Amino acid sequence: MTPPLAPVGWSRWLVPPAALSVHLSIGQAYAWSVFKPPLESALGLSGTQSALPFQLGIVMLGLSAAFGGTLVERNGPRWAMTVALICFSSGFLLSALGAATEQFWLIVLGYGFVGGIGLGIGYISPVSTLIKWFPDRPGMATGIAIMGFGGGALIASPWSAQMLESFGSTSDGIAKAFLVHGLVYAVFMLLGVLLIRVPRPDAAPKAKPAPESALITTAQVSAKSAVRTPQFWLLWIVLCMNVTAGIGILEKAAPMITDFFADTDTPVSVSAAAGFVALLSAANMAGRIGWSSTSDVIGRKNTYRLYLGVGALMYLLIAQFGDASKPLFIICALVILSFYGGGFATVPAYLKDLFGTYQVGAIHGRLLTAWSAAGVLGPLIVNRVADSQEEAGKSGPGLYGLSLTIMIGLLVVGFVANELVRPVHPRHHRPADTAASANIPAPANPADANAEANAPAPVNTAATKPESSPEEPKEAR
């Protein structure tokens, strides 16, 4: 399944559409709520039960990205996209069988477990290849692809709703909708499988001089070594805090804006709250390409200073003045959600700056466990605090004051972690001779080129001895 080397004259701008075909498909996960009410009605489920397929899918996304990242790097993007296609589409087909037979456990197994593996492998499948094609603009390149994941729901949500309206909201209608999803997404993702190419060593442009050059390395760090560095865990904290802050608003957006203005002269209607959710989704998607492209100009560390520092300020404004001005509340929420999306899209380029391109996809996969943690932490904070405040007799903005304060504190923690990021110590770098092997000139025979591109690099045991050296400058720790 090794993708062919790009022929001479191949346009690198054909690679982002290949990545988008996968990310727009798996982005359907954000539209799961469309299926919740019909499933609850058809199968007699509670709200908690109907959320299980989505929750398991997000957990499996993080786990499969973490444990499958090295396989993605070893076998290449075409293999990864094929695995994602098979798992994601099979998940829908199993769910269709579960709906048709009214066996909810099959829906959980299909959409949650099998489909969740497709989510994780598909999410990281194009990252390394995009960075190699766009070393001059890695933030923009990964932002284009990851924007697709954020925008997938904008397509899937109305499409799924229309199918349920046409087929009916019975178990048979849900089964037909799942079946169509599985088949159509298989065809759409196949376009990415067929289109993806890897660059020849001399095909991609050279990286441009970038800001914050102290953090940008030309050395290579393996995934195994990366997780042993403080830089990896500092970025884990940064991503987790940023995602927690964003998903806290995203998960409870409609009831939150309704509660904030319930006792004012301009209450928010149900339709207006739904429009607010759509605006947040658009901000999420726009932030992925906008802020990640900006990071190519101002640097990754400065961009995360914006996400975390300005994000904390936005939460403070909502907490203090949110119920006094509807435009202020909406603008602050849109900025926070743009930072949420931008954080996802910028982190692969940040990893590339610190650890090189050798196994950046595998490193990215391991880092996505921060997403799994944040996916539990953010909604838990907002919902648990709101429930406790309601039991205490509070209402309106009072339901969210404490949780907003907690979010500000988490963003401050993330800001401090970002400030502590320093260049990776050379003891974690791969030896020069093995690092150079990642850029072996392409042989005349394309088949040999593919073989060499996937061959494990030789290990120079003599050169690896310094890795155990106890001498390490304090600023690099």
Side-chain angles (χ1 to χ4, degrees):
M1 294 305 297
T2 302
L5 286 172
V8 176
W10 178 269
S11 174
R12 62 177 180 163
W13 292 101
L14 293 173
V15 180
L20 272 174
S21 71
V22 173
H23 273 244
L24 281 171
S25 298
I26 62 177
Q28 185 279 335
Y30 278 151
W32 173 254
S33 60
V34 174
F35 289 102
K36 280 173 61 68
L39 281 171
E40 292 167 14
S41 176
L43 302 183
L45 305 174
S46 66
T48 302
Q49 288 173 321
S50 66
L52 283 175
F54 172 77
Q55 290 175 320
L56 180 57
I58 295 300
V59 170
M60 292 307 301
L61 186 159
L63 294 178
S64 61
F67 291 104
T70 302
L71 290 175
V72 171
E73 290 290 343
R74 183 182 304 154
N75 297 318
R78 175 167 288 180
W79 174 89
M81 289 180 175
T82 302
V83 171
L85 183 160
I86 293 171
C87 291
F88 190 66
S89 296
S90 297
F92 271 113
L93 299 182
L94 277 172
S95 297
L97 178 61
T101 59
E102 299 188 359
Q103 298 293 316
F104 181 61
W105 69 271
L106 271 176
I107 299 177
V108 176
L109 174 66
Y111 190 92
F113 184 80
V114 178
I117 294 174
L119 288 177
I121 299 299
Y123 191 88
I124 64 174
S125 62
V127 169
S128 179
T129 303
L130 282 167
I131 288 176
K132 289 172 184 175
W133 271 111
F134 292 87
D136 53 334
R137 285 180 279 185
M140 179 212 69
T142 55
I144 289 174
I146 293 175
M147 175 185 68
F149 190 86
L154 295 181
I155 299 172
S157 184
W159 181 45
S160 301
Q162 182 60 48
M163 276 194 286
L164 289 171
E165 184 177 334
S166 300
F167 297 144
S169 296
T170 63
S171 57
D172 287 341
I174 297 170
K176 290 177 183 177
F178 282 152
L179 178 62
V180 173
H181 274 75
L183 296 177
V184 172
Y185 280 134
V187 173
F188 196 59
M189 294 172 76
L190 184 61
L191 296 176
V193 173
L194 298 176
L195 192 60
I196 194 70
R197 297 288 188 277
V198 294
R200 292 178 176 275
D202 58 348
K206 296 187 181 299
K208 294 179 181 179
E212 299 184 322
S213 57
L215 288 181
I216 299 176
T217 182
T218 56
Q220 307 294 333
V221 181
S222 69
K224 184 177 181 180
S225 296
V227 297
R228 298 172 180 170
T229 66
Q231 288 81 0
F232 175 88
W233 294 105
L234 287 171
L235 281 190
W236 194 98
I237 294 171
V238 166
L239 182 63
C240 185
M241 299 300 100
N242 188 63
V243 174
T244 299
I247 208 169
I249 279 189
L250 185 62
E251 190 271 341
K252 205 172 177 66
M256 181 180 286
I257 192 171
T258 301
D259 290 336
F260 257 80
F261 298 97
D263 299 326
T264 67
D265 296 332
T266 56
V268 177
S269 65
V270 174
S271 60
F276 174 63
V277 174
L279 277 177
L280 293 182
S281 297
N284 176 12
M285 184 173 66
R288 292 172 187 249
I289 181 62
W291 290 118
S292 61
S293 297
T294 301
S295 76
D296 289 332
V297 179
I298 68 174
R300 253 59 77 174
K301 193 168 186 175
N302 284 333
T303 304
Y304 272 92
R305 283 168 174 153
L306 281 175
Y307 296 160
L308 300 160
V310 177
L313 176 62
M314 295 297 102
Y315 265 115
L316 180 62
L317 289 174
I318 291 176
Q320 296 297 320
F321 310 107
D323 59 335
S325 172
K326 195 177 295 182
L328 176 66
F329 181 95
I330 293 173
I331 290 171
C332 290
L334 291 176
V335 171
I336 291 170
L337 262 294
S338 76
F339 290 162
Y340 168 80
F344 281 120
T346 308
V347 79
Y350 208 161
L351 292 172
K352 174 259 182 188
D353 289 350
L354 288 168
F355 302 110
T357 60
Y358 170 57
Q359 288 189 332
V360 67
I363 299 170
H364 183 218
R366 287 160 170 77
L367 195 75
L368 288 181
T369 54
W371 185 3
S372 297
V376 174
L377 187 62
L380 180 65
I381 290 173
V382 175
N383 288 290
R384 183 64 63 84
V385 169
D387 290 344
S388 64
Q389 295 300 304
E390 188 174 15
E391 291 173 0
K394 295 185 178 181
S395 62
L399 297 174
Y400 304 99
L402 178 58
S403 59
L404 293 174
T405 302
I406 293 173
M407 294 298 180
I408 293 170
L410 293 178
L411 287 170
V412 170
V413 170
F415 188 92
V416 172
N418 183 54
E419 292 301 306
L420 294 176
V421 174
R422 298 290 186 271
V424 175
H425 192 272
R427 71 189 182 91
H428 297 290
H429 295 170
R430 300 179 70 227
D433 56 341
T434 57
S437 69
N439 296 309
I440 297 173
N445 185 342
D448 292 340
N450 289 336
E452 287 189 20
N454 289 278
V459 178
N460 185 332
T461 55
T464 57
K465 288 183 180 178
E467 217 168 278
S468 60
S469 172
E471 298 179 5
E472 178 179 347
K474 291 182 179 179
E475 65 274 12
R477 292 180 180 173

